[in-house]
Amino acid sequence: MTKTKLPAKTGRPSSYSRKTADELCRYLAVGESLRTVTKRPGMPSIQTVFTWMRTHEEFLEQYTRAKQEAADALVEEMLDIADSD
């Protein structure tokens, strides 16, 4: 019986790190856009962030929570502006 050799994995290894994910989500939570955050030094590309969301369940949850916090902060800011008239 011959063994079938699996093809070698291609592509770059994942650059996911909890520290980078935390930092990225902190920026998102205060309202920065993903495009702006990924332009910062040391931040992953947008494509990498999307890959992280598909492959790291904990990151997807963290990202979703950060975007919800950003939306809440934006609503609060809009209410403050409306109340100041």
Side-chain angles (χ1 to χ4, degrees), residues 6-66:
L6 297 174
K9 288 186 177 183
T10 59
R12 294 173 51 192
S14 174
S15 60
Y16 180 80
S17 81
R18 182 64 186 234
K19 181 181 176 185
T20 302
D22 289 347
E23 185 177 2
L24 184 140
C25 287
R26 275 195 299 275
Y27 289 125
L28 293 174
V30 296
E32 285 194 33
S33 72
L34 181 58
R35 185 169 306 280
T36 300
V37 174
T38 58
K39 289 180 182 177
R40 288 177 171 273
M43 289 291 113
S45 69
I46 289 176
Q47 293 82 4
T48 298
V49 173
F50 291 147
T51 298
W52 289 1
M53 284 190 263
R54 288 190 304 272
T55 58
H56 299 280
E57 182 69 30
E58 72 280 1
F59 177 69
L60 177 59
E61 292 172 12
Q62 184 180 17
Y63 177 90
T64 301
R65 195 169 37 256

